[in-house]
Amino acid sequence: MIALSKSHFILLIIFALLACSPTYAKVKPEPTKNCVLRPLGSGHDDTNQVDPFKKPFQDAVILGPQHLNRAFTTLPGIYSFSVLYLLGNGNWSRKMTWDLVSSKVDLKGYLNFPPDIQFWLNANNTYRVVFIQSQASWFVVTGSDFEIDAHNTGGIQGNGQTWWSYFATHTRADGDGRPISLTVWNATRGAIKNFRIESPPFWSSAVAQSKDVVIDGMYINATNEDPLYIGKNIVPNTDGTDTYRSDRISLLNWDVTCGDDCLALKGNSTNLMLRNITCRGGGGIAIGSLGQYAGMNDYVMNVDMEDLRMIRLDPNVQPNMGSGVYFKTWDGTVNGAPPTGGGGAGGLVQNVSARRVNVDRVTTPMHIYQTNNAKSGDAPSTLRFEGLHFSDWTGTGMTNKIVDIECSPAAGCSDITFSNFKVTPISGQTSQFICQNAVGVTGLPGEF
């Protein structure tokens, strides 16, 4: 008989367990087996299923939907979670974290977010990993060298209508506990593909404190179905995504219907690539808002955007279509404290390009303003814009105000270029171009 060391014996036990359970492949090779998770069905909470592994293995070998709020890693450096097939609609009543390391997840159904408003607004149940504005999360993906593919058949069902109708008669405030549906946090070299988010209660997604992340093929739909609110923007704060403190992020092939910023690139977002983005209703693509936290300057640098479409919807569905691309900062005076107040910080926005953009009856196609939450007598913002480039724009604005550049007198803007910029008012009026406190603006009629 061959003598076995204690460590070899433990590994043999793990292999025996894996023979009748999902396979956890070694870190680099392709997995050879699939982990098939079958949700209990509508009305059932999959997080409450009995743990199939008892100590000492329950923290090393992860199995089943009841573990979706824990790390999907086994013994570090030896195994990693291989493939998850989620069929149908799984229901989770609590927060989840997927900690994926060298892992592949196939998500072929929806993670179903029960609309228990009072549960999520209770501070004891709040799950916060995103610093900006003290926002809360529901489902957090973290880790490194992972891929989640939802095959255009899976993602998140946020059941947002209950939330939207509730907040039509209740006060909303940033940081109050409304959860972000999907948060990518502290992730490195991750990819999310062909993912769908239906009816997000709040921000559809966020990418925070991450680097080298690609989200390719994202469909988001926040559309009111409550007849009481036809013709109103009943779906505010349903941003497609917000980036924050992240580097080398690629957002490719997005289709977003929402009532707020289609995409919002917040503080310290650098080296971003946006390609083939369709925004249906809402505010358009925002850089900001910036400068909210006094003493913490914000930098947004090297943003490359191409092939953008802003489409105004039937006003009975969504009355807003704010901008094509716009830039916003808080002013230079501190008014209250974050998450709902703030201001007073500086920083820099530099080297931002938007090419091949089509706007459909947007309110202000291109806009810069630095007076978010400002009050009379406030100090001007010290955050500076330079190197903004807009080329090959077509389409229409709702009024004759096509470009509105209102930079801070304390910082100013410089090197703003327009090339082949052919956006016109739907009214047939002469286009208006506003330019304040900026130098080096070229490509528009007139002298600036």
Side-chain angles (χ1 to χ4, degrees), residues 74-97:
T74 57
L75 300 177
I78 300 176
Y79 304 104
S80 68
F81 187 79
S82 57
V83 181
L84 163 68
Y85 286 95
L86 182 65
L87 309 175
N89 291 319
N91 295 284
W92 284 269
S93 65
R94 297 188 293 275
K95 60 191 179 185
M96 296 192 298
T97 299

Side-chain angles (χ1 to χ4, degrees), residues 190-210:
I192 297 176
K193 300 167 57 178
N194 308 313
F195 201 95
R196 302 174 69 88
I197 300 177
E198 300 278 1
S199 300
F202 185 57
W203 292 0
S204 306
S205 64
V207 181
Q209 295 177 226
S210 297

Side-chain angles (χ1 to χ4, degrees), residues 399-447:
T399 71
N400 68 334
K401 186 187 294 184
I402 302 302
V403 173
D404 187 0
I405 300 173
E406 299 182 42
C407 300
S408 165
C413 302
S414 63
D415 185 21
I416 302 177
T417 67
F418 295 83
S419 174
N420 196 29
F421 194 87
K422 298 179 179 179
V423 180
T424 58
I426 60 171
S427 61
Q429 295 176 295
T430 301
S431 297
Q432 182 181 15
F433 305 103
I434 298 171
C435 190
Q436 299 176 358
N437 304 311
V439 296
V441 179
T442 63
L444 293 176
E447 298 293 330

Side-chain angles (χ1 to χ4, degrees), residues 199-448:
S199 300
F202 185 57
W203 292 0
S204 306
S205 64
V207 181
Q209 295 177 226
S210 297
K211 60 184 178 181
D212 296 307
V213 171
V214 177
I215 305 179
D216 185 356
M218 174 67 82
Y219 173 85
I220 293 169
N221 183 18
T223 302
N224 169 59
E225 295 182 353
D226 188 333
L228 289 176
Y229 304 108
I230 291 174
K232 299 180 181 179
N233 182 24
I234 191 65
V235 294
N237 301 125
T238 51
D239 297 18
T241 200
D242 287 58
T243 65
Y244 183 63
R245 292 181 175 175
S246 293
D247 185 43
R248 299 190 299 275
I249 308 300
S250 296
L251 308 177
L252 314 175
N253 305 308
W254 284 53
D255 191 317
V256 179
T257 300
C258 70
D260 212 306
D261 293 334
C262 176
L263 308 175
L265 314 180
K266 295 189 183 298
N268 303 302
S269 297
T270 54
N271 301 303
L272 274 65
M273 178 188 292
L274 282 62
R275 294 285 188 272
N276 190 27
I277 310 295
T278 299
C279 304
R280 305 176 192 273
I285 294 178
I287 286 77
S289 57
L290 307 172
Q292 182 175 8
Y293 289 79
M296 300 173 63
N297 288 350
D298 283 329
Y299 297 89
V300 177
M301 306 175 74
N302 305 324
V303 179
D304 189 30
M305 299 181 279
E306 187 173 84
D307 294 322
L308 315 177
R309 290 165 297 281
M310 313 294 156
I311 301 172
R312 181 173 288 274
L313 301 176
D314 180 333
N316 286 324
V317 175
Q318 172 54 252
N320 295 351
M321 186 64 257
S323 292
V325 176
Y326 76 110
F327 303 76
K328 55 181 177 177
T329 78
W330 293 65
D331 69 3
T333 297
V334 178
N335 287 310
T340 54
L348 175 67
V349 175
Q350 183 183 68
N351 192 26
V352 177
S353 298
R355 298 184 300 278
R356 294 202 296 273
V357 179
N358 181 262
V359 294
D360 171 25
R361 297 165 292 163
V362 302
T363 302
T364 308
M366 185 268 160
H367 192 194
I368 297 175
Y369 70 96
Q370 299 197 251
T371 54
N372 189 51
N373 206 44
K375 295 178 173 58
S376 177
D378 281 357
S381 170
T382 59
L383 194 145
R384 181 173 176 77
F385 293 93
E386 64 182 34
L388 311 181
H389 308 293
F390 310 96
S391 60
D392 300 316
W393 282 48
T394 58
T396 55
M398 286 294 284
T399 71
N400 68 334
K401 186 187 294 184
I402 302 302
V403 173
D404 187 0
I405 300 173
E406 299 182 42
C407 300
S408 165
C413 302
S414 63
D415 185 21
I416 302 177
T417 67
F418 295 83
S419 174
N420 196 29
F421 194 87
K422 298 179 179 179
V423 180
T424 58
I426 60 171
S427 61
Q429 295 176 295
T430 301
S431 297
Q432 182 181 15
F433 305 103
I434 298 171
C435 190
Q436 299 176 358
N437 304 311
V439 296
V441 179
T442 63
L444 293 176
E447 298 293 330
F448 300 104

